[in-house]
Amino acid sequence: MISGLLLLTALNAVQQRIPVSYPMSKTEEIEKYHTPSVTGMSQKLRLREFEKRMEMERSSTFQKIMWRSVGSEHQGGRVVDVDSPASEPTTLYISYASGGLWRTEDDGITWTSLFDFESSFAIGDTDVSDDGRTIWVGTGENNSARTHYSGTGVFKSVDRGATWQHMGLEETHNIGRVTIHPNDPNTVFVAANGALYSQGHDRGVYRTKDGGETWEHVLAIDEWTGVIDLAIDPSDPDRIFAAAWHRDRRAWNMLESGPGSALYLSEDGGDTWAVVKGLPSGDAMGRTGVAFSASDPNVVYVYIDNQSAYEDTEWMDERVPDGKLTAWRLRRMSDGLLKQVPEDELKTFLRNKLPDDEDVDDVIKQIKDGDLGVVELGELLLKENPNLFALRRTNSQVWRSDDGGRTWELVSPTVGSMLGYYCGRVTVHPENPDELYITGTRLLKSEDGGRSWESIAPRNHVDRHVYWIDDRNPNRMIDGNDGGPYLSMDAGKTWRHLNNVPVGQYTTIAVDNKSPYNIYGGLQDNGTIKGPSNYRQGIDPITRWTGIAGGDGSMIAVDPRNDGDVVYVASQFGSHSAIDQAAGRRWSARPSGRGLRFNWISPIVISKHHSDIIYIGSQFVHRSFNQGRKWEAISPDLTKELPRGDVPFSTLTALDESPFKFGVIYAGADDGSIHVTKDGGVTWDAIPTTATDRWVTRIIASRHDEETVYCTQNGYRQDEWSPYVWKSTDYGKTWESIASNLPFEPVNTIREDPDLENVLYVGTDMGVFFSMDSGESWQVYGGGLPHVPVHDLVIQEREREMVIATHARSVWIVDVEPVADLTDEILGSDLYIWEVDSLRFSERWGFDRKQPWDKSEPREPEVDGRFWSRVSGDGSLRVLDSDGKAVVEQALVVTPGFNFFTFGLQVKARESADPKKIEKPKTLQEALADPYSRPSYLPPGEYTIEITVGDTQKTIEWEIRD
């Protein structure tokens, strides 16, 4: 009887425990957040539109106004792959998620950019032939991040990256691996991950046997499942493992596994495939990395982001000191023990965990009176947070095979959360099959075959994506992460950050009015940084750019007072703060309140009517009258309140206030909602465009007309490339598309020219366009800018310069003064030359101060000018003296629109560097003469500059003053 009572008591105790909850099943997740399926836009259309872009670049009247890169470099950028050709041990190829492909031949001292002007800037993986001549690039990042970009297929270079040929597979979107067959360079395997935001069958494993001329789809699973990794047996190239990954991203949720996930094996070079048994698959198998040991190919490792529930969650080390109440400690308690918990500890634990209608003190009293037990308290807490007692997912785990993949052992049941969807590669030391590395938030190393781990390179940047070990010199290693590549020459003991490449992934940009003016930018995983506008890339110290805030850099606003001492910055999900740079103070500027939803990049605006007034957007518009120290919500929820999973959604993404009237505010959201208030937030009107579900990227209230407003949206998160650019002249009541002739490139931002009423600029996922007629027509602005996503742009009004934030290649600047110089008269001219400033003659020309070691030629005086031509062709420039004699002549290559010229003033070159040997001068003139030969230059006088293009000739007068 006693044993029976004990059993009954034990069973009763089990029954009375707070129930745990399990992670949502993948079937439920798909039904709730990932239906219906999404059909993306054809990549063939995207490539056709790319050709349109290229023609617009060639025909732009502003193509010779050149962009200049101004950094930053010191922060690095997201690395996705590292390669080194077998025959060139000093050569490294580093691939960036959106920053292109770079080559260094001196371990990062100098770099050459190789992939600037193709139809895709995003890279998933690369491979290089043994002789270093052939490079394969699989475009479309493989990391499935929120700032992930799709590609346009596979590219090949046979001249070390000097030129590229598109080799097809454009519908694959994102490529996990490109692998050249170890014995046949014409045979190449491509692991295609497929589109991230839409479904389609162009994913799996592709193989070519003729160098990319034709492709076979040798492994196809379903429209949701691609292949993220691929490994070839170094001892038998017919044996190939492929890691299939079922995944889908929506703006509101990331599906990290599904029924199609599995590890596949081919034993006939890719002709046939079979699912590998003995490993997690289906819903349990998230992103997976696979690798052979080169020194013992029987050893294979599989690194799985396991999405199943971790049953031992309750017993994991919570890392909370003794005496503290936690959710899992509560679950293990009896009612009697709960009553004994001190009131102050109960109050600390219950803070922010109870429903709004429950009073903390009242709940504590019920506990102490015995009216509220453990289970009842748990039920109350679950009303506020249904996931409070949820089991974690297993997350990252490592499996090992010692027989080439026929049987498997789970050597690491869990190593915790390692950002599985975002990272996930495993690397085996080339000489030791028991030494391996896995990438994730941290970089973990095991020396016992995956049974135990240590975190290495802790001072390197977090979020590791690739770990490369040189098989010719295993002490040489590279840790590639969100902060760029780090190089070690001593097997990981010390590291050098290769951070002299401008590959920052900027999301926002702002400028102050200092002299020179400063640029402020928010970057992916690299905080908010500040740098001078006169930064010279490759010349100035990279430390001229400095970090001023951490996290993932978000929106920035610069207080115009004192030319910009106070700056508002943010990191992800609304963590806003203010910095008084002059006083060295900072304070929180984040609105508080329960249930607020902030976008990853939440908008902040300084009022144009008083700089103490700040607006920030969550799902509400918040206003502060005292620089963000105290807030009030001045709107209802301005979104559609759509269902959201593991990512905040139905959030505001764009705000602006009219400069004409205080209280006229526009707000746009990620779910396509757009609203306006004309009375400071008392009433709000919905003013949606016809793109009702497209992400609002920017709203700009016109500074030239009170009722005019501009809006941009994009379909990036639906794999749709249409340009959405809208204009309203009635406060948004009606909208007109002004996308006009823009190519199909998602639009990220729009700005008005501050001085010119009809001039607009937009930043797209491939560059910058501008319009001189309020959007009726567009053309590419400037030349030399790589094909990169422009997330933000601003005009520095004093200097008349446009500054852009690229999410790939840091910050660029271009002069926009020429736009203001174009009149109807000039536009109607066949040829026009702008006046050239006169120049004062100097006897110091050619007499630079130099050190004895410096044998360079002296800096020569030069004259710069610009002219407008209606036509293209060969042209000429002549400078004529007062007698009509040509003293300068040079050929010109003329394009339609703006053109530029530069000519020097030297008329006679240096004859000799040897001094004249005058031992005893006979005259004062000889005594004071310079004993060295010098160049001679055009003398003071009046000149004529003559430009000829075809049969048209124009001249202007110019002077060298005495």
Side-chain angles (χ1 to χ4, degrees), residues 165-447:
Q165 181 181 359
H166 184 247
M167 305 307 296
L169 301 185
E170 60 271 8
E171 300 294 346
T172 57
H173 278 250
N174 302 289
I175 289 172
R177 281 285 191 188
V178 177
T179 303
I180 302 172
H181 191 284
N183 300 331
D184 179 10
N186 286 317
T187 296
V188 179
F189 293 90
V190 171
N193 213 17
L196 178 60
Y197 287 102
S198 60
Q199 287 68 61
H201 289 281
D202 294 88
R203 55 185 85 205
V205 177
Y206 292 83
R207 178 183 66 190
T208 180
K209 292 184 176 181
D210 53 16
E213 296 298 322
T214 59
W215 294 92
E216 304 169 84
H217 198 176
V218 294
L219 176 59
I221 301 153
D222 60 50
E223 63 178 355
W224 297 77
T225 307
V227 172
I228 182 63
D229 205 1
L230 185 144
I232 298 178
D233 187 335
S235 63
D236 180 4
D238 284 340
R239 300 188 75 249
I240 308 168
F241 283 105
W245 185 22
H246 183 131
R247 62 93 165 92
D248 182 52
R249 188 159 196 141
R250 306 292 168 99
W252 48 85
N253 193 68
M254 175 68 191
L255 178 70
E256 298 181 48
S257 68
S261 296
L263 186 68
Y264 284 79
L265 172 64
S266 175
E267 299 193 88
D268 52 16
D271 290 337
T272 60
W273 298 81
V275 172
V276 175
K277 304 299 183 183
L279 292 171
S281 62
D283 289 0
M285 185 179 180
R287 176 171 176 167
T288 298
V290 57
F292 282 93
S293 165
S295 58
D296 182 359
N298 284 319
V299 176
V300 187
Y301 290 98
V302 176
Y303 174 37
I304 299 174
D305 179 33
N306 193 317
Q307 291 288 296
S308 61
Y310 189 61
E311 297 289 349
D312 289 336
T313 296
E314 181 176 1
W315 312 107
M316 292 180 68
D317 186 353
E318 295 181 272
R319 300 188 179 276
V320 177
D322 292 345
K324 303 296 181 182
L325 182 59
T326 68
W328 293 110
R329 290 175 186 178
L330 170 66
R331 188 172 180 271
R332 294 193 291 266
M333 279 184 175
S334 65
D335 292 349
L337 290 175
L338 176 61
K339 290 176 64 175
Q340 298 177 36
V341 177
E343 287 191 20
D344 59 345
E345 183 58 33
L346 283 171
K347 185 170 289 190
T348 299
F349 171 71
L350 293 172
R351 187 181 299 125
N352 299 325
K353 290 188 177 69
L354 291 172
D356 290 339
D357 57 354
E358 295 289 343
D359 179 74
V360 173
D361 292 332
D362 183 54
V363 170
I364 292 174
K365 184 177 185 304
Q366 292 181 59
I367 292 171
K368 293 301 183 181
D369 291 345
D371 297 330
L372 197 67
V374 170
V375 173
E376 292 80 15
L377 178 59
E379 291 172 349
L380 195 61
L381 297 175
L382 287 170
K383 289 181 181 179
E384 174 66 17
N385 180 5
N387 296 316
L388 186 61
F389 302 99
L391 297 179
R392 300 183 186 180
R393 297 196 185 276
T394 301
N395 296 128
S396 301
Q397 58 179 202
V398 177
W399 296 71
R400 171 175 169 146
S401 173
D402 288 303
D403 54 13
R406 292 167 181 83
T407 61
W408 297 90
E409 177 189 2
L410 179 58
V411 291
S412 293
T414 181
V415 293
S417 176
M418 294 280 282
L419 282 183
Y421 74 91
Y422 188 52
C423 309
R425 285 192 174 179
V426 55
T427 302
V428 187
H429 193 282
E431 296 177 355
N432 182 358
D434 291 325
E435 183 177 324
L436 64 152
Y437 302 80
I438 55 176
T439 62
T441 314
R442 300 166 299 281
L443 179 63
L444 300 186
K445 174 184 178 181
S446 174
E447 294 181 327

Side-chain angles (χ1 to χ4, degrees), residues 510-519 533 563 754-755 793-803 813-817:
V511 295
D512 63 21
N513 207 39
K514 305 288 187 181
S515 186
Y517 67 89
N518 294 299
I519 302 166
S533 56
D563 291 332
D755 301 324
L793 65 86
V794 66
I795 307 297
Q796 214 289 340
E797 297 185 31
R798 183 190 67 221
E799 301 296 334
R800 289 288 298 167
E801 291 184 332
M802 182 180 355
V803 187
I813 293 178
V814 72
D815 183 13
V816 293
E817 181 63 29

Side-chain angles (χ1 to χ4, degrees), residues 7 51 70 131 193 278 296 309 366-367 429 433 441 543 581 628 640 678 801 956:
L7 177 60
E51 290 304 317
V70 293
D131 65 4
N193 213 17
D296 182 359
Q366 292 181 59
I367 292 171
H429 193 282
T441 314
T543 51
Q581 301 175 96
K640 299 172 185 175
K678 300 176 188 175
E801 291 184 332
I956 60 168

Side-chain angles (χ1 to χ4, degrees), residues 679-948:
D679 51 19
V682 177
T683 59
W684 291 83
D685 296 320
I687 53 169
T689 71
T690 56
T692 54
D693 65 345
R694 291 305 189 245
W695 188 293
V696 178
T697 54
R698 199 70 82 234
I699 287 181
I700 299 296
S702 174
R703 61 193 297 165
H704 301 297
D705 178 76
E706 182 175 348
E707 298 185 18
T708 296
V709 58
Y710 300 92
C711 175
T712 58
Q713 297 173 267
N714 76 37
Y716 156 86
R717 293 163 186 83
Q718 290 89 359
D719 285 328
E720 192 244 334
W721 324 119
S722 302
Y724 294 107
V725 186
W726 310 95
K727 177 182 179 180
S728 173
T729 55
D730 54 10
Y731 294 105
K733 184 177 180 180
T734 59
W735 294 95
E736 169 196 5
S737 172
I738 56 171
S740 183
N741 62 320
L742 285 173
F744 277 45
E745 298 171 9
V747 181
N748 302 311
T749 189
I750 185 169
R751 299 286 180 191
E752 284 185 313
D753 191 286
D755 301 324
L756 308 174
E757 183 171 356
N758 296 316
V759 175
L760 299 172
Y761 306 92
V762 295
T764 75
D765 274 357
M766 293 287 278
V768 175
F769 294 85
F770 92 112
S771 172
M772 298 182 67
D773 50 21
S774 296
E776 291 186 18
S777 63
W778 298 87
Q779 58 180 308
V780 173
Y781 194 85
L785 180 68
H787 293 157
V788 288
V790 176
H791 277 209
D792 200 8
L793 65 86
V794 66
I795 307 297
Q796 214 289 340
E797 297 185 31
R798 183 190 67 221
E799 301 296 334
R800 289 288 298 167
E801 291 184 332
M802 182 180 355
V803 187
I804 60 172
T806 79
H807 199 73
R809 297 288 289 274
S810 294
V811 179
W812 295 67
I813 293 178
V814 72
D815 183 13
V816 293
E817 181 63 29
V819 180
D821 290 343
L822 283 179
T823 63
D824 291 339
E825 176 189 355
I826 295 172
L827 288 170
S829 302
D830 289 333
L831 187 62
Y832 181 88
I833 311 174
W834 274 272
E835 294 297 320
V836 177
D837 291 339
S838 62
L839 189 66
R840 181 176 294 278
F841 184 85
S842 173
E843 293 185 349
R844 297 295 307 171
W845 288 346
F847 287 84
D848 293 353
R849 292 181 179 273
K850 293 181 181 296
Q851 296 295 329
W853 55 264
D854 189 351
K855 305 302 181 184
S856 62
E857 292 296 320
R859 289 192 302 271
E860 296 294 340
E862 291 183 332
V863 176
D864 297 321
R866 53 189 168 116
F867 64 95
W868 172 273
S869 174
R870 184 190 294 274
V871 299
S872 62
D874 294 331
S876 65
L877 174 145
R878 295 200 308 162
V879 179
L880 310 175
D881 64 16
S882 57
D883 295 327
K885 177 184 176 183
V887 293
V888 174
E889 293 184 275
Q890 62 180 242
L892 299 173
V893 177
V894 180
T895 59
F898 273 99
N899 291 265
F900 298 84
F901 59 81
T902 298
F903 62 85
L905 304 183
Q906 186 184 114
V907 294
K908 183 179 180 181
R910 174 196 302 269
E911 293 180 356
S912 170
D914 295 329
K916 295 178 181 178
K917 296 181 179 179
I918 304 177
E919 295 180 358
K920 292 183 178 180
K922 299 182 177 61
T923 66
L924 179 62
Q925 181 180 3
E926 288 182 354
L928 298 179
D930 179 10
Y932 288 86
S933 171
R934 305 289 179 183
S936 58
Y937 301 94
L938 289 178
E942 295 183 350
Y943 296 87
T944 299
I945 298 175
E946 173 190 278
I947 302 286
T948 303

